[in-house]
Coordinates of all heavy atoms in Angstrom, one line a residue:
N115 N 162.2 179.4 61.7 CA 161.8 178.4 62.7 C 161.8 179.0 64.1 O 160.9 178.7 64.8 CB 162.6 177.2 62.5 CG 162.3 176.4 61.2 OD1 161.2 176.5 60.7 ND2 163.3 175.7 60.7
V116 N 162.9 179.6 64.5 CA 163.1 180.1 65.8 C 162.0 181.2 66.1 O 161.4 181.2 67.2 CB 164.5 180.6 66.1 CG1 164.6 181.4 67.4 CG2 165.5 179.5 66.0
T117 N 161.8 182.0 65.1 CA 160.8 183.1 65.3 C 159.4 182.5 65.4 O 158.5 182.9 66.2 CB 160.8 184.1 64.1 OG1 162.1 184.5 63.9 CG2 159.9 185.2 64.3
L118 N 159.1 181.4 64.7 CA 157.8 180.8 64.7 C 157.6 180.0 66.1 O 156.5 180.1 66.7 CB 157.7 179.8 63.6 CG 156.2 179.5 63.1 CD1 155.6 180.8 62.5 CD2 156.3 178.5 62.0
L119 N 158.6 179.3 66.5 CA 158.6 178.6 67.8 C 158.4 179.6 68.9 O 157.7 179.4 69.9 CB 159.8 177.8 68.0 CG 159.9 176.6 67.0 CD1 161.3 175.9 67.3 CD2 158.8 175.6 67.2
T120 N 159.1 180.7 68.8 CA 158.9 181.8 69.8 C 157.5 182.3 69.9 O 157.0 182.6 70.9 CB 159.9 182.9 69.6 OG1 161.3 182.4 69.6 CG2 159.8 184.0 70.7
A121 N 156.9 182.5 68.7 CA 155.5 182.9 68.6 C 154.6 182.0 69.4 O 153.7 182.4 70.1 CB 155.1 183.0 67.2
T122 N 154.8 180.6 69.2 CA 154.0 179.6 69.9 C 154.2 179.8 71.4 O 153.3 179.8 72.2 CB 154.4 178.2 69.4 OG1 154.1 178.2 68.1 CG2 153.6 177.2 70.2
L123 N 155.5 179.8 71.9 CA 155.8 180.0 73.3 C 155.1 181.2 73.9 O 154.5 181.1 74.9 CB 157.3 180.0 73.5 CG 157.9 180.1 74.9 CD1 159.3 179.5 74.9 CD2 158.0 181.5 75.4
L124 N 155.3 182.4 73.2 CA 154.7 183.6 73.7 C 153.2 183.6 73.7 O 152.5 184.3 74.5 CB 155.3 184.8 73.0 CG 156.8 185.1 73.2 CD1 157.2 186.2 72.4 CD2 157.0 185.4 74.7
S125 N 152.6 182.9 72.7 CA 151.1 182.8 72.7 C 150.6 182.2 74.0 O 149.6 182.6 74.5 CB 150.6 182.0 71.5 OG 150.9 182.7 70.3
G126 N 151.3 181.1 74.4 CA 150.9 180.5 75.6 C 151.2 181.4 76.8 O 150.3 181.5 77.7
Y127 N 152.3 182.0 76.9 CA 152.7 182.8 78.0 C 151.8 184.0 78.1 O 151.4 184.4 79.2 CB 154.2 183.2 77.9 CG 154.7 184.1 79.0 CD1 154.7 183.5 80.3 CD2 155.1 185.4 78.8 CE1 155.2 184.3 81.4 CE2 155.6 186.1 79.9 CZ 155.6 185.6 81.2 OH 156.1 186.3 82.2
G128 N 151.5 184.7 77.0 CA 150.6 185.8 77.0 C 149.2 185.5 77.5 O 148.6 186.2 78.3
T129 N 148.7 184.3 77.1 CA 147.4 183.9 77.6 C 147.5 183.6 79.1 O 146.5 183.8 79.9 CB 146.9 182.7 76.8 OG1 147.0 183.0 75.4 CG2 145.5 182.3 77.2
F130 N 148.6 182.9 79.6 CA 148.8 182.7 81.0 C 148.7 184.0 81.8 O 148.0 184.1 82.8 CB 150.1 182.0 81.2 CG 150.6 182.0 82.6 CD1 150.1 181.1 83.5 CD2 151.6 182.9 83.0 CE1 150.6 181.1 84.8 CE2 152.1 182.9 84.2 CZ 151.6 182.0 85.2
L131 N 149.5 185.0 81.3 CA 149.4 186.3 82.0 C 148.0 186.9 82.0 O 147.6 187.5 83.0 CB 150.4 187.3 81.4 CG 151.9 186.9 81.4 CD1 152.7 187.9 80.7 CD2 152.4 186.8 82.9
L132 N 147.4 186.8 80.9 CA 146.0 187.4 80.8 C 145.0 186.7 81.8 O 144.4 187.5 82.6 CB 145.5 187.1 79.4 CG 144.0 187.4 79.2 CD1 143.6 188.9 79.3 CD2 143.6 186.9 77.7
V133 N 145.0 185.4 81.9 CA 144.0 184.7 82.8 C 144.4 184.9 84.2 O 143.6 185.1 85.1 CB 143.9 183.3 82.4 CG1 143.0 182.5 83.4 CG2 143.3 183.1 81.0

Side-chain angles (χ1 to χ4, degrees):
N115 287 332
V116 170
T117 305
L118 208 63
L119 293 174
T120 302
T122 300
L123 183 154
L124 290 178
S125 292
Y127 182 62
T129 308
F130 164 78
L131 294 178
L132 167 66
V133 174

